[in-house]
Amino acid sequence: MEEISSLLQIRRDKLTELQESGNDPFEIVRFDLDTHSDEIHKNFDNMEGKTVQIAGRMMTRRIMGKASFCDIQDEKGRIQVYAKGEDIGQESYEAFKKCDIGDIFGVVGEVFRTQKGEISVKATSITLLSKSLQILPEKYHGLTDMELRYRHRYVDLIVNPEVRETFLKRSAIIRKTREFLDGRNYIEVETPILQTIPGGASARPFDTHHNALDLPMSLRIALELPLKRLIVGGLERVYEIGRCFRNEGISTKHNPEFTMLELYQAYTDYHGMMELTESLFRKLAVEITGSSVVSYLGTEIDFSKPFERLTMVEAVRKYANVDFDKVTTVEEAQQLAKEHNVEYSNMHGIGGILNLFFEQFAEDNLIQPTFLIDHPVEISFLCKRKPDKPDYAERFELFILGNEYGNAYSELNDPIDQRGRFMHQESLRAAGDDEASQIDEDFLLALEYGMPPTGGLGIGMDRLIMLLTNSPSIRDVLLFPTMRPL
């Protein structure tokens, strides 16, 4: 530690020397870069001999007396810079030799290839734009603690180019999702994050208080109910990509704040949402990875084939050898649960126990893209019933690799039925289920004005980004994951 402290002090002493000599780098307000490293590498034949202005962080350097080499890293990659006293001025060259790894420079120079064949920039001017007062960790041995990487993402991005690439892909995935929906005539909207009644999902909210209104409020747990109000208002295709917040546990698949895509389309149903979902996932796979077959942690996922469709009853029959079509009473369902060591509570009806069977026996087997369809109404309180099987809802979840990637319904637009479902949720809250929903009177009023038949879809964007970037943890695709303070 003493050695590190000494090295850090040396950097501060260098800064003081610069400031006292009138060369304070922090007084420089801009540098007009016109080229990035990847442009030079890709277009060398057309750029050789041309003057460019590049900027970035010095990651390596080799001082060789009258001439030196360094690698400058910008957002797009690295480029070698050749610096010589007679080209940049001896005073500037001597100052450059005193600089440290991590310092940020602006370089003006000529594109050329060295005798060893490396594409480089021969500097005619080098300007120190920012002094690094910390020591960068060495790539392979310095920043290996994952917790430290998540806490200090700025350092992670500097020393691990593959991390930077992941987040560039994240941006591309979200951008291309918008392009896909815009191309289908959806309009992007924004809905409130602070809500008096958090609805649209079964989850525990983060609660807060609005002082001026003296009003308890919550961060939204879903985007659903405000978007449906817009469908009532006559906007036929709407979507939002935004942050949601759930006061729940943290794991490789869950973070308390996460990014959701929710969209709603009038005059369609959950079959329309299946077509849209399949088309979107296939498009993103090809445009992000270059193929409709995506490898995730050693398993190949084929998006080129039509996604399988399997009802929840069929999945449980297939993987647990239990047929819930033959179950007519809660007592029968409870007995089956006991026989198969499925834990349940008195709040679970037949549909709830069916879902428990699915989660325990079937979920992990859905590896290739599968639409799990027709959930029990008991666990689908915002979904339209199936006309021929009113205890089941027109709903699907998209499963890949045993994980849920999307959730969609034929949306319930019957205000009387919806009120009954809300009242059941209230009874669950009264019985101790703090994830159950509250009655939203304004939403019920909106439905009474009339909502057309509507299909809706929600996709957890972080989990989708994990899949398309081959990332094992949700923290790998969140720039700033939630962490316990040190």
Side-chain angles (χ1 to χ4, degrees), residues 210-334:
H210 191 288
N211 292 334
L213 296 177
D214 191 21
L215 185 68
M217 301 192 81
S218 301
L219 300 182
R220 66 186 177 192
I221 58 175
L223 312 173
E224 181 166 348
L225 300 188
L227 291 174
K228 285 184 181 179
R229 289 174 169 91
L230 299 180
I231 296 292
V232 171
L235 301 181
E236 294 181 0
R237 299 185 182 207
V238 296
Y239 77 92
E240 182 173 6
I241 299 175
R243 272 302 215 235
C244 292
F245 308 84
R246 298 181 184 179
N247 198 350
E248 299 170 349
I250 296 175
S251 71
T252 57
K253 301 173 187 175
H254 297 94
N255 193 70
E257 58 176 304
F258 57 97
T259 300
M260 280 288 294
L261 160 67
E262 288 202 35
L263 61 91
Y264 294 86
Q265 178 178 332
Y267 311 113
T268 190
D269 62 2
Y270 75 144
H271 292 289
M273 293 296 101
M274 286 185 220
E275 182 280 322
L276 184 148
T277 303
E278 191 167 336
S279 298
L280 173 62
F281 272 67
R282 187 171 294 124
K283 170 188 170 67
L284 291 175
V286 171
E287 294 198 2
I288 298 302
T289 72
S291 172
S292 58
V293 179
V294 174
S295 179
Y296 182 73
L297 303 183
T299 301
E300 287 195 345
I301 305 301
D302 191 351
F303 289 105
S304 67
K305 300 175 182 177
F307 294 5
E308 183 181 358
R309 301 185 184 192
L310 193 67
T311 71
M312 186 177 285
V313 170
E314 289 170 343
V316 170
R317 185 188 302 132
K318 180 177 181 179
Y319 295 108
N321 197 28
V322 174
D323 189 355
F324 268 79
D325 275 343
K326 298 179 179 179
V327 176
T328 58
T329 68
V330 174
E331 290 74 19
E332 290 175 10
Q334 291 174 342

Side-chain angles (χ1 to χ4, degrees), residues 470-482:
N470 199 25
S471 300
S473 171
I474 193 171
R475 292 182 173 187
D476 296 327
V477 299
L478 296 175
L479 281 167
F480 302 104
T482 303

